[in-house]
Amino acid sequence: MKVNIAVVGLGYWGPNLVRNFVTVPGASITTVCDTNPATFQKIKPFSSIKTVRNINDVLRDKTIDAVAIATPLSTHFILAKKAILAGKHVLLEKPMTQTSIQSQELIKLAEKNKRILMVGHTFIYSQAVRQIKKIIKRKDFGQVYYFDSTRINLGILQKDSNVIWDLAPHDFSIINYLFDTKPISLLATGSHFVGKKYEEIAHIVIKYENNINAYINLSWLSPVKIRSIFIGGSKKMIVYDDIQPSEKIKIYNKRIKTTENNITPFSPAYRSGEIIIPNLEQKEALLTEIEHFVECIQMNKKPLTGGLEGLKVVKLLEIASESLKTNLEVIIK
Ligand SMILES: NC(=O)c1ccc[n+]([C@@H]2O[C@H](COP(=O)([O-])OP(=O)(O)OC[C@H]3O[C@@H](n4cnc5c(N)ncnc54)[C@H](O)[C@@H]3O)[C@@H](O)[C@H]2O)c1
């Protein structure tokens, strides 16, 4: 069965969804929808795709099986809810919704109406993140100490969210996927300079059970673009540089060793060995994500990044907002 898809929202991200959907054999992209008709020129090369300005025209169309929603965050809940109620499967961009109550409602609605609800946590479909999961599970990586992410550039300031709600969903979803552990506390701090309302720079520290700490540095006001994640282990360390076209992951055989009699590391032993660069399949993460969405619809499978995974991320975002507001570390129950 071919799945007929409509993409809703043709701003920055939507055209990437269209470009990938057209290459998936099991899918046929029939319609795009955007309230701003000027965006339709972005899909000019695909002349057979119908353009509409109102989502109701998509939802009324019985030939459309699924919608991929890439509109601003403040519209996610209402558009996804309408789509599920109209009998469509939904791929909803990150972050899932503005509140966890809304996410819970969408999960229930999708279950009740037997529709696939998937969230666009794209990094979970990247070869690099999947490879990292395998590496840190190996005994020779040792105990994981920290996750240290820098996600900064001169970014597109969002109209309806701060930098945490825009960029942290990537790190939160990666952490949830990589580590089988629960957060204990979260501290977030941030500032705005250009706008009046939404933080443009933020730092987050999350403490997890098993003694893993996550440090996340986010900015829309950086002169250079950096997308790096360092994961430190007791025996090895990983550097993941997502900007690199190839050689995205390097595994460093480096560590600091102290002996029992040497608890204060006055003279620690530094171990420095080879660097391994795993070979990764060159495939766009978004294409893997979209193929998975189509397969979930065709086979009635549970998505890897379904509503519950989306909800987990939204909960962390809410806790980060609470910490920003109170300037306090929030203990997570
Ligand atoms: N998965 C990823 O890696 C990734 C990357 C970038 C953005 N995103 C997400 O994609 C979403 C869109 O981000 P963007 O940067 O493309 O935003 P954008 O502002 O560039 O584009 C949003 C588009 O939606 C349209 N729109 C708004 N309300 C609409 C409605 N009710 N019906 C139809 N169209 C409507 C706007 O006219 C605009 O063209 C966000 O949720 C963002 O977080 C995800």
Side-chain angles (χ1 to χ4, degrees):
M1 174 198 96
K2 238 191 170 124
V3 180
N4 286 332
I5 312 256
V7 171
V8 182
L10 280 185
Y12 161 66
W13 194 243
N16 291 327
L17 290 165
V18 175
R19 175 173 55 77
N20 278 288
F21 267 124
V22 294
T23 68
V24 178
S28 171
I29 171 142
T30 63
T31 310
V32 289
C33 167
D34 199 298
T35 45
N36 175 6
T39 59
F40 297 148
Q41 50 93 12
K42 295 181 188 172
I43 55 129
K44 246 188 174 167
F46 313 110
S47 55
S48 62
I49 301 177
K50 195 172 142 192
T51 56
V52 298
R53 293 178 62 178
N54 190 320
I55 193 167
N56 291 333
D57 293 327
V58 171
L59 303 184
R60 269 195 295 266
D61 186 339
K62 295 268 179 280
T63 65
I64 295 172
D65 305 298
V67 294
I69 300 173
T71 55
L73 168 61
S74 53
T75 65
H76 283 187
F77 172 67
I78 190 68
L79 295 181
K81 182 174 173 176
K82 274 180 155 190
I84 297 169
L85 288 173
K88 312 296 182 199
H89 302 286
V90 173
L91 171 60
L92 182 55
E93 263 319 318
K94 62 82 199 160
M96 187 175 173
T97 55
Q98 286 179 303
T99 69
S100 50
I101 292 174
Q102 292 173 338
S103 292
Q104 278 158 349
E105 190 175 331
L106 290 185
I107 292 167
K108 275 192 197 146
L109 268 183
E111 265 170 24
K112 194 171 156 211
N113 292 277
K114 299 193 168 48
R115 297 296 88 185
I116 301 292
L117 171 61
M118 182 167 141
V119 182
H121 291 159
T122 310
F123 278 92
I124 307 313
Y125 301 90
S126 82
Q127 300 301 317
V129 171
R130 289 179 168 191
Q131 184 68 32
I132 290 172
K133 188 168 171 114
K134 286 184 195 152
I135 299 165
I136 60 174
K137 280 208 157 153
R138 292 203 306 245
K139 261 196 171 156
D140 65 354
F141 189 76
Q143 177 202 340
V144 177
Y145 287 158
Y146 65 82
F147 171 99
D148 188 346
S149 168
T150 305
R151 205 172 285 282
I152 61 174
N153 63 316
L154 207 54
I156 309 167
L157 274 63
Q158 301 292 312
K159 291 189 197 85
D160 58 359
S161 71
N162 64 17
V163 72
I164 294 183
W165 282 75
D166 184 34
L167 298 180
H170 295 310
D171 293 301
F172 292 170
S173 61
I174 294 171
I175 292 169
N176 289 345
Y177 173 73
L178 290 181
F179 308 120
D180 191 17
T181 179
K182 285 200 184 107
I184 302 169
S185 71
L186 185 152
L187 175 67
T189 169
S191 335
H192 54 80
F193 302 96
V194 182
K196 293 201 166 60
K197 197 168 170 194
Y198 296 120
E199 288 75 13
E200 294 134 3
I201 294 186
H203 289 84
I204 303 171
V205 180
I206 314 178
K207 291 182 184 150
Y208 283 86
E209 283 175 357
N210 318 357
N211 251 348
I212 300 175
N213 283 1
Y215 306 94
I216 303 167
N217 170 12
L218 308 165
S219 174
W220 284 330
L221 294 184
S222 156
V224 291
K225 181 167 180 169
I226 302 177
R227 294 281 185 272
S228 71
I229 294 174
F230 292 9
I231 300 177
S234 56
K235 294 184 182 159
K236 296 206 169 144
M237 294 174 182
I238 297 172
V239 173
Y240 165 26
D241 182 352
D242 196 52
I243 302 287
Q244 296 303 324
S246 61
E247 304 190 355
K248 284 180 190 283
I249 304 177
K250 294 190 173 128
I251 310 161
Y252 288 79
N253 197 356
K254 282 192 173 187
R255 64 180 136 143
I256 301 177
K257 234 174 125 184
T258 53
T259 60
E260 278 205 23
N261 325 330
N262 192 8
I263 296 163
T264 39
F266 285 120
S267 52
Y270 286 83
R271 164 94 173 81
S272 193
E274 72 281 8
I275 301 166
I276 292 171
I277 305 174
N279 195 19
L280 300 176
E281 190 196 344
Q282 293 278 344
K283 184 173 175 187
E284 198 176 338
L286 186 56
L287 177 58
T288 308
E289 175 189 314
I290 279 169
E291 285 172 344
H292 181 63
F293 178 56
V294 172
E295 194 194 346
C296 286
I297 295 171
Q298 288 172 329
M299 317 289 283
N300 195 23
K301 268 173 62 174
K302 192 172 164 299
L304 185 60
T305 56
L308 281 176
E309 285 72 26
L311 169 66
K312 271 191 189 171
V313 167
V314 172
K315 277 188 174 165
L316 280 176
L317 291 167
E318 284 180 329
I319 294 165
S321 295
E322 188 188 333
S323 178
L324 265 187
K325 214 169 26 179
T326 57
N327 274 321
L328 293 170
E329 183 177 26
V330 178
I331 305 301
I332 303 172
K333 292 182 191 89

